[in-house]
């Protein structure tokens, strides 16, 4: 039990921003902080922390509360344990009476596992530093490995006696039940210490509690198993833990980068050399949960590979998951025969820093190089390489980043960039399952809208590339003027408008919304700028507080728009409008053709998606023997779509490919 005065002291001392920062990277915004919500998955921050009010609130999922609520919710701990957590952090002494055996039994099992694990942890550390055996065997092993005293203490390394029941007897004497020791993996079924004769690497969770151990055997004859891990339990899930993250998280957030190594000793050696932003996957393939942990602090991950060619090829495959999660992956290849542990021990800190900086390569450039070297001149193997790279590229969710990677890979593979784009697009198309607004397209082509009767699941690579092109035009040429004359039946209108006005009007007229939400926000903002100043101000976005928006702006403004890339047809715009009853004359220049063609291609894409959607619905309707009027209506809609599509195709010289 904690007394009221102590509780009040804890609550007065705890700072919400400091607590949340232990788990989430926060950025200052005015009087508050914002960050990515740890309670729901999001790309743009809607999680806000107010130090003045002492509260947090997520505008995305609605979670809110004070520091204690945050810990309870985030760490899945009870109210008293959240208070204890805060007391530990702020070095506030809690006057609690000794926990009796009865009380231990009363706590739920999860808590008992924590208590037993903490008890074992303290025992292992004490045994290393205080017993003769610990000093002679455990400590001297760490010292031989070159670990400094402060590092041994920082990582809370320990040792478990060779005599097989020393820990068990100690624990029984202190009131721990065999049952819980067994569940925590501290003893085995034969009533022996599970970690006997091993040096101990404790594994902490994000909030700093020890949840398990890795033990390394020192004498081979004692056990054939070199490394032994705590078994899975209510508190220890190997796939949800990264060794070293608790100690590394602050440095990872500060440096905005995380080094990933394989072994625990790699992490410790790197720390000793001054590189603290590193974690270990402990020899297994990374899981989604582990990636999510890193992602809370940074998007940038650099993997340190041992210099063994066979191992590298196998490891390359493990990167896909990181790409899928939107991480920016780089790699460093160590010299042949070296691992991060041996390398950092053989070099000074400054040599290590210099090496990492110099040898850090972008993942795609690295992978392409490794695979190409392997394939040699064999054309079959080279096309396999292309496929492999395309598959990885298709996993990158950020299309701007993806475009940059495609550019680099196509250069290395000596393949045309456009071909690579379409191969990647095909991959994405065949994979992505998305709901697409059905009604909107029905309106677009003036067909009576109706609510779809069947689930609308369509495999679609939505018009993202086209959306990007549209924004690119507004960014680079938004304020250039286009002179248009519209002949409509008996009235003739002459319009002087800008590229931005033309594009925005085109989309608004057809009630089209960009599906990429970042693009759509920028688009809406452009429209507001137009209304307010009569022109667009792309530079405003460069300083936008939203990372995704200012990155997009920086990219759009730095890549020159290649006017020659889209083949300009003569007077596309006038042809387009002639067919739908409006006659438009335009000045014959490249820019205007490009603008109109980009818009047409975008509309084609939107209609193609609608057509595909309808075709699938039709198939489903036929298979499920749906009512005849539903089937007829779908037929009619596909026909109307084909009609408009054919008109648009003929303008840009394409033919309808039946699907
Ligand atoms: Zn949330």
């Amino acid at each position: 039990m904690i007394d009221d005065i102590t509780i009040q002291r804890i609550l007065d001392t705890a700072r919400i921003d400091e607590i949340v920062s232990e788990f989430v990277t926060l950025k200052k915004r005015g009087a508050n902080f914002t960050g990515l919500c740890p309670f729901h998955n999001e790309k743009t921050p809607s999680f806000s922390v107010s130090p003045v009010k002492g509260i947090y609130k997520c505008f995305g999922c609605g979670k809110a509360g004070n520091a204690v609520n945050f810990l309870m919710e985030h760490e899945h701990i009870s109210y008293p344990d959240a208070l204890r957590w805060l007391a530990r952090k702020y070095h506030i002494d809690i006057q609690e009476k000794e926990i009796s055996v009865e009380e231990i039994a009363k706590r739920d099992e999860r808590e008992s596992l924590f208590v037993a694990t903490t008890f074992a942890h303290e025992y292992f550390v004490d045994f290393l530093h205080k017993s003769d055996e610990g000093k002679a065997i455990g400590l001297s092993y760490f010292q031989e490995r070159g670990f400094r005293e402060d590092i041994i203490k920082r990582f809370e390394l320990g040792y478990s006696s060779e005599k097989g029941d020393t820990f068990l007897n100690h624990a029984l004497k202190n009131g721990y039940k065999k049952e819980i020791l067994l569940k925590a993996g501290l003893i085995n079924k034969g009533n022996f210490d599970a970690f006997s004769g091993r040096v101990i690497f404790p594994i902490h969770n994000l909030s700093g509690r020890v949840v398990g151990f890795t033990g390394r055997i020192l004498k081979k004859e004692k056990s054939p198993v070199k490394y032994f891990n705590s078994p899975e339990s209510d508190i220890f899930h190997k796939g949800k833990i990264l060794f070293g993250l608790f100690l590394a998280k602050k440095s990872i957030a500060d440096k905005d980068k995380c080094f990933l190594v394989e072994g625990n000793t790699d992490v410790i050696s790197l720390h000793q050399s001054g590189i603290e932003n590193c974690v270990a996957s402990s020899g297994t393939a990374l899981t989604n949960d582990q990636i999510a942990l890193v992602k809370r602090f940074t998007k940038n991950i650099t993997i340190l590979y041992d210099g063994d060619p066979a191992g590298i090829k196998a490891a390359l495959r493990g990167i896909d998951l990181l790409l899928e999660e939107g991480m920016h992956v780089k790699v460093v290849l160590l010299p042949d025969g070296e691992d991060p542990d041996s390398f950092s021990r053989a070099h000074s800190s400054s040599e290590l820093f210099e090496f990492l900086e110099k040898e850090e390569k972008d993942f795609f450039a690295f992978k392409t190089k490794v695979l190409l070297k392997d394939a040699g001149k064999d054309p079959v193997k080279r096309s396999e390489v292309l496929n492999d790279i395309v598959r990885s590229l298709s996993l990158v969710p950020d299309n701007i980043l993806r475009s940059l990677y495609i550019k680099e890979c196509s250069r290395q593979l000596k393949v045309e960039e456009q071909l690579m784009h379409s191969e990647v697009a095909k991959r994405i198309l065949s994979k992505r399952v998305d709901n697409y607004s059905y009604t909107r397209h029905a309106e677009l082509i003036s067909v009576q809208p109706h609510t779809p009767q069947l689930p609308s699941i369509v495999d679609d690579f939505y018009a993202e590339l086209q959306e990007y092109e549209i924004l690119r035009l507004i960014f680079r040429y938004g304020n250039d003027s286009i002179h248009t004359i519209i002949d409509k039946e008996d009235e003739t209108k002459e319009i002087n408008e800008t590229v931005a006005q033309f594009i925005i009007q085109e989309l608004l007229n057809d009630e089209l919304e960009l599906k990429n939400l970042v693009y759509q926000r920028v688009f809406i903002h452009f429209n507001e700028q137009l209304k307010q100043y009569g022109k667009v101000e792309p530079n405003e976005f460069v300083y936008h507080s939203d990372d995704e928006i200012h990155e997009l702006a920086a990219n759009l403004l730095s890549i020159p728009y290649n006017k020659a890339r889209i083949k300009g047809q003569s007077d596309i715009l006038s042809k387009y409008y002639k067919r739908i009853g409006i006659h438009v004359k335009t000045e014959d220049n490249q820019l205007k053709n490009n603008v109109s063609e980009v818009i047409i291609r975008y509309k084609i894409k939107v209609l193609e998606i609608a057509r595909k959607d309808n075709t699938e619905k039709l198939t489903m309707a036929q298979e499920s023997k749906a009512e005849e009027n539903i089937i007829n209506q779908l037929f009619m809609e596909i026909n109307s779509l084909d009609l408009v599509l054919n008109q648009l195709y003929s303008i840009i010289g394409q033919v309808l490919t039946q699907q």
Side-chain angles (χ1 to χ4, degrees):
M1 289 289 287
I2 309 169
D3 62 83
D4 288 347
I5 297 165
T6 312
I7 292 176
Q8 202 48 52
R9 243 189 94 204
I10 294 169
L11 294 177
D12 289 346
T13 315
R15 286 197 44 178
I16 183 77
D17 49 318
E18 288 174 359
I19 310 304
V20 176
S21 296
E22 296 268 336
F23 307 96
V24 180
T25 299
L26 293 175
K27 279 188 186 153
K28 189 126 173 80
R29 191 172 290 178
N32 295 340
F33 292 89
T34 59
L36 292 175
C37 177
F39 302 115
H40 84 280
N41 199 359
E42 62 177 0
K43 276 189 179 159
T44 47
S46 47
F47 186 79
S48 174
V49 172
S50 163
V52 180
K53 293 180 190 151
I55 57 163
Y56 66 94
K57 180 169 173 60
C58 174
F59 294 96
C61 66
K63 291 261 160 71
N66 62 19
V68 178
N69 303 133
F70 181 85
L71 287 170
M72 289 168 68
E73 180 91 38
H74 190 272
E75 294 296 285
H76 306 288
I77 55 179
S78 62
Y79 178 73
D81 282 331
L83 289 173
R84 285 188 194 100
W85 192 102
L86 291 169
R88 262 203 307 278
K89 180 174 166 70
Y90 291 104
H91 310 291
I92 296 169
D93 278 334
I94 299 183
Q95 294 304 323
E96 272 187 288
K97 54 183 169 129
E98 286 279 300
I99 305 162
S100 70
V101 179
E102 290 74 35
E103 275 170 325
I104 292 171
K106 261 186 263 162
R107 292 209 185 180
D108 64 24
E109 185 174 303
R110 204 180 125 84
E111 198 46 45
S112 309
L113 287 172
F114 267 126
V115 172
T117 305
T118 304
F119 176 78
H121 172 52
E122 282 162 5
Y123 167 81
F124 293 146
V125 173
D126 267 1
F127 204 84
L128 178 81
H129 292 285
K130 291 180 185 159
S131 74
D132 290 340
E133 184 193 341
K135 281 189 264 190
I137 301 175
L139 202 55
S140 67
Y141 166 78
F142 287 134
Q143 283 160 350
E144 271 163 40
R145 290 211 62 145
F147 291 169
R148 285 194 318 253
E149 187 67 24
D150 61 311
I151 291 292
I152 295 171
K153 292 243 164 79
R154 192 190 300 174
F155 280 87
E156 299 165 9
L157 304 179
Y159 176 74
S160 180
S161 172
E162 275 180 11
K163 284 186 224 81
D165 55 2
T166 317
F167 168 72
L168 174 62
N169 290 332
H170 179 64
L172 291 175
K173 230 185 284 167
N174 282 273
Y176 288 88
K177 292 221 166 85
K178 272 188 190 169
E179 186 201 348
I180 218 68
L181 298 173
L182 196 60
K183 275 200 178 128
L186 295 165
I187 58 168
N188 57 33
K189 288 206 175 81
N191 284 335
F192 286 112
D193 296 350
F195 290 93
S196 157
R198 292 172 187 270
V199 283
I200 308 285
F201 301 85
I203 302 164
H204 299 80
N205 68 9
L206 209 49
S207 68
R209 292 186 96 172
V210 176
V211 291
F213 307 97
T214 296
R216 186 195 192 281
I217 198 77
L218 291 188
K219 292 180 182 163
K220 274 197 197 112
E221 66 274 16
K222 294 267 177 192
S223 167
V225 185
K226 192 171 169 192
Y227 286 100
F228 177 77
N229 285 309
S230 293
E232 293 283 309
S233 72
D234 276 357
I235 62 167
F236 183 65
H237 306 281
K238 199 159 184 281
K240 290 183 178 179
I241 295 274
L242 283 165
F243 180 80
L245 185 58
F246 168 62
L247 288 169
K249 62 186 181 182
K250 196 175 172 300
S251 175
I252 293 172
D254 289 347
K255 306 250 159 56
D256 194 14
K257 179 199 276 197
C258 177
F259 286 106
L260 178 72
V261 294
E262 217 180 285
N264 300 357
T265 51
D266 295 327
V267 171
I268 298 174
S269 291
L270 286 173
H271 258 259
Q272 185 156 313
S273 299
I275 292 173
E276 297 185 355
N277 51 332
C278 60
V279 299
S281 59
S282 301
T284 52
L286 272 188
T287 67
N288 277 322
D289 288 322
Q290 289 170 326
I291 296 168
L293 284 174
V294 176
K295 216 168 140 190
R296 289 190 184 187
F297 304 101
T298 184
K299 265 187 160 180
N300 302 307
I301 195 161
T302 297
I303 300 162
L304 265 53
Y305 282 123
D306 304 354
D308 143 48
I312 295 164
K313 269 191 81 185
L316 283 178
R317 264 166 251 137
I319 306 301
D320 284 355
L321 212 51
L322 283 163
L323 297 174
E324 253 173 314
E325 288 296 322
M327 300 291 282
H328 304 169
V329 187
K330 294 194 170 168
V331 295
V332 171
L333 184 62
L334 292 166
D336 209 354
E338 298 267 24
D339 60 34
D341 182 15
S342 65
F343 189 81
S344 51
R345 275 188 286 137
H347 295 82
S348 72
S349 284
S350 58
E351 282 170 344
L352 179 64
F353 274 102
E354 201 177 301
F355 179 84
L356 292 177
E357 195 148 304
K358 196 168 130 263
E359 293 300 315
E360 191 175 67
K361 301 267 185 320
D362 181 72
F363 168 72
F364 279 101
F366 175 79
K367 178 169 179 172
T368 311
K369 197 177 154 201
V370 169
L371 294 183
L372 272 183
K373 197 175 160 206
D374 203 50
K377 290 210 164 82
D378 185 337
V380 178
K381 278 193 181 155
R382 284 181 81 92
S383 92
E384 279 168 13
V385 172
L386 177 66
N387 274 330
D388 196 343
I389 297 288
V390 163
R391 188 178 48 81
S392 290
L393 283 167
S394 73
L395 300 173
V396 177
D398 180 329
N399 51 332
I400 297 160
L401 199 62
R402 192 168 60 231
S403 295
L404 295 174
Y405 289 147
I406 289 175
K407 199 181 188 68
E408 171 60 25
C409 292
S410 64
R411 194 186 59 76
Q412 271 184 287
L413 289 161
K414 297 192 177 69
V415 174
E416 239 183 275
E417 197 180 328
Q418 212 44 46
L419 174 78
M420 207 106 187
H421 264 291
S422 74
E423 286 301 309
V424 172
K426 261 189 248 165
R427 272 269 174 184
I428 296 171
L429 171 67
S430 71
K431 214 177 51 186
R432 196 174 287 184
V433 174
D434 199 358
N435 283 310
Y436 202 79
S437 158
Y438 173 83
T439 320
R440 203 164 66 217
H441 301 303
E443 281 168 2
L444 174 70
I445 53 162
S446 312
V447 173
Q448 199 64 30
H450 76 229
T451 318
Q453 307 288 315
L454 297 154
S456 164
I457 294 170
V458 58
D459 199 9
D460 97 40
F461 171 56
Y462 65 89
E464 201 170 14
L465 287 175
Q466 288 79 359
E467 291 181 353
Y468 184 71
E469 288 292 331
I470 285 171
L471 280 193
R472 188 143 76 153
L473 283 172
I474 305 182
F475 262 91
R476 296 198 57 87
Y477 301 101
N479 296 321
D480 288 10
S481 58
I482 316 180
H483 180 72
T484 48
I485 301 162
I486 300 177
D487 286 336
K488 196 179 181 186
E489 288 162 20
D490 48 351
E491 63 167 329
T492 303
K493 264 208 295 192
E494 214 170 309
I495 302 172
N496 268 317
E497 58 185 349
T498 63
V499 169
Q501 282 169 327
F502 173 77
I503 291 176
I504 290 172
Q505 212 44 54
E506 274 294 304
L507 265 61
L508 292 180
N509 280 349
D510 283 336
E511 292 179 35
L512 288 166
E513 277 178 359
L514 302 183
K515 270 205 81 190
N516 179 309
L517 294 179
V518 177
Y519 298 176
Q520 177 66 8
R521 280 170 63 197
V522 172
F523 182 83
I524 289 168
H525 211 90
F526 270 137
N527 192 24
E528 282 162 5
Q529 287 177 342
L530 258 191
K531 278 189 215 151
Q532 211 175 331
Y533 321 116
K535 60 174 188 165
V536 290
E537 299 275 5
N539 286 323
E540 259 189 27
F541 295 101
V542 179
Y543 306 103
H544 201 280
S545 56
D546 187 316
D547 281 350
E548 284 178 293
I549 290 184
H550 75 229
E551 272 169 34
L552 173 69
N555 276 314
L556 284 168
L557 289 170
S558 62
I559 305 165
Y561 184 65
N562 185 356
K563 290 187 190 183
R565 221 196 76 199
I566 298 171
K567 247 189 287 159
Q569 309 277 321
S570 64
D571 248 353
I572 292 167
L573 193 62
S574 76
K575 281 190 199 164
Y576 169 48
Y577 280 106
K578 241 183 226 166
R579 282 166 205 276
I580 49 177
I582 313 167
H583 179 60
V584 183
K585 284 182 198 149
T586 60
E587 282 173 42
D588 185 15
N589 73 35
Q590 193 74 52
L591 174 62
K592 223 169 311 143
N593 286 336
N594 284 343
V595 173
S596 43
E597 179 157 354
V598 164
I599 294 289
I600 292 167
R601 284 196 186 276
Y602 168 63
K603 289 182 178 177
I604 285 176
K605 190 76 203 181
V606 171
L607 292 168
E608 280 175 344
I609 293 164
R611 188 185 191 283
K612 191 155 187 276
D613 189 15
N614 275 315
T615 312
E616 286 189 6
K617 279 201 200 96
L618 180 62
T619 313
M620 282 199 286
Q622 284 166 332
E623 276 168 9
S624 64
K625 305 219 175 353
E627 279 173 46
E628 204 173 330
N629 63 348
I630 293 174
I631 292 177
N632 284 341
Q633 188 148 18
L634 285 166
F635 262 123
M636 271 166 52
E637 280 170 21
I638 292 169
N639 280 339
S640 332
L641 280 165
D642 283 351
L643 213 67
V644 182
L645 268 172
N646 266 325
Q647 289 181 345
L648 295 178
Y649 283 142
S650 70
I651 297 167
I652 57 163
Q654 229 180 306
V655 285
L656 178 68
T657 43
Q658 290 296 332
Q659 290 165 337

